């Protein structure tokens, strides 16, 4: 009898071990499917952050195109993530999806800010040109030049206001992404693409631009191409 009980106990243990082994295997398979999607999305987000903190020689047009493309590609990865069978570990899928969603919000906000920045720079350039025209004008041409300069200055002022109104949205998106990335890591997911230093640079830029806005100084022009 004892022998039969012993055999039964062993069989139960083997069954339980096999069950948990199956769960762990399925979970590892899910994580293997999630990992490349998270990595691809992270590359897109990191690329978008670099456009803002380290643009190099990129033009506004190139920057906006890249940011829009990154936003669109992240959306595709979110859809792929949601299509996975995550019944074995739904929390992992949810964590990854929320991470990419917050990252997508950041890339979209960066794209919007770049568009505002383009308008701000172009209108400021036009305003400067109109002021030069005023200084060069004489006679009856002065009145027309002054009116034209006033319109250009008004447009430049509005563009600067629009930019600084958009800025807090981007800064808040950056903060939320940093927090969501940490949550992803806390949930046991890996992410080694995003450079934390770039997130810090983005935060520093937000602080500097806020100080600039509060001081009501003329916006700096970074890219002129």
């Amino acid at each position: 009898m004892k022998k039969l009980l012993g055999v039964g106990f062993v069989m139960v243990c083997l069954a339980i071990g096999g069950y948990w082994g199956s769960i762990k295997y399925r979970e590892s398979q899910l994580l293997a499917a999630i990992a490349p999607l998270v990595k691809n999305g992270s590359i897109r987000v990191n690329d978008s952050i670099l456009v803002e903190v380290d643009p190099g020689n990129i033009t506004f047009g190139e920057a906006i195109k890249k940011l829009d493309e990154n936003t669109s590609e992240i959306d595709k990865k979110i859809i792929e993530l949601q299509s996975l069978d995550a019944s074995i570990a739904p929390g992992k899928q949810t964590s990854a999806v929320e991470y990419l969603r917050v990252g997508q919000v950041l890339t979209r906000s960066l794209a919007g800010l770049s568009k505002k920045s383009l308008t701000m720079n172009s209108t400021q350039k036009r305003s400067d040109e109109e002021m030069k025209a005023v200084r060069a004008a004489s006679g009856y041409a002065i009145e027309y030049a002054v009116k034209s300069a006033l319109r250009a200055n008004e447009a430049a002022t509005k563009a600067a206001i629009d930019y600084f109104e958009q800025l807090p949205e981007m800064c808040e998106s950056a903060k939320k992404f940093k927090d969501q990335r940490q949550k992803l890591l806390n949930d046991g997911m890996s992410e080694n693409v995003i450079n934390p230093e770039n997130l810090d640079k983005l935060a520093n830029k937000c602080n500097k631009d806020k100080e600039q806005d509060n001081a009501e100084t003329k916006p700096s022009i970074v890219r002129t191409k």
Side-chain angles (χ1 to χ4, degrees), residues 148-164:
S148 183
L150 287 173
R151 287 194 296 270
N153 183 68
E154 183 178 339
T157 300
K158 182 181 182 303
I161 291 172
D162 289 345
Y163 173 85
F164 284 110

Side-chain angles (χ1 to χ4, degrees), residues 135-149:
R135 289 190 289 269
S138 60
Y140 294 109
I142 293 178
E143 182 179 357
Y144 174 81
V146 168
K147 288 181 179 180
S148 183

Side-chain angles (χ1 to χ4, degrees), residues 57-119:
N57 295 321
I58 192 171
T59 67
F60 276 108
E62 291 168 343
I64 292 169
K65 180 181 179 182
K66 176 178 287 191
L67 290 167
D68 285 341
E69 287 178 350
N70 285 342
T71 301
S72 179
E73 287 300 316
I74 292 173
D75 192 54
K76 294 177 183 177
K77 301 310 169 188
I78 291 174
I79 293 173
E80 288 184 53
L81 272 172
Q82 292 174 322
S83 69
L84 296 175
D85 178 8
S87 57
I88 194 67
K92 302 292 185 182
Q93 181 192 49
T94 299
S95 181
V97 168
E98 286 304 307
Y99 167 74
L100 290 190
R101 276 179 175 164
V102 176
Q104 184 185 41
V105 170
L106 176 56
T107 59
R108 185 180 290 115
S109 185
L110 286 166
L113 194 66
S114 282
K115 292 168 186 176
K116 299 288 185 183
S117 186
L118 170 60
T119 302

Side-chain angles (χ1 to χ4, degrees), residues 188-203:
M189 307 289 286
S190 64
E191 190 295 296
N192 58 3
V193 174
I194 301 295
N195 186 344
E197 291 183 2
N198 290 335
L199 288 172
D200 292 337
K201 288 179 182 179
L202 193 58

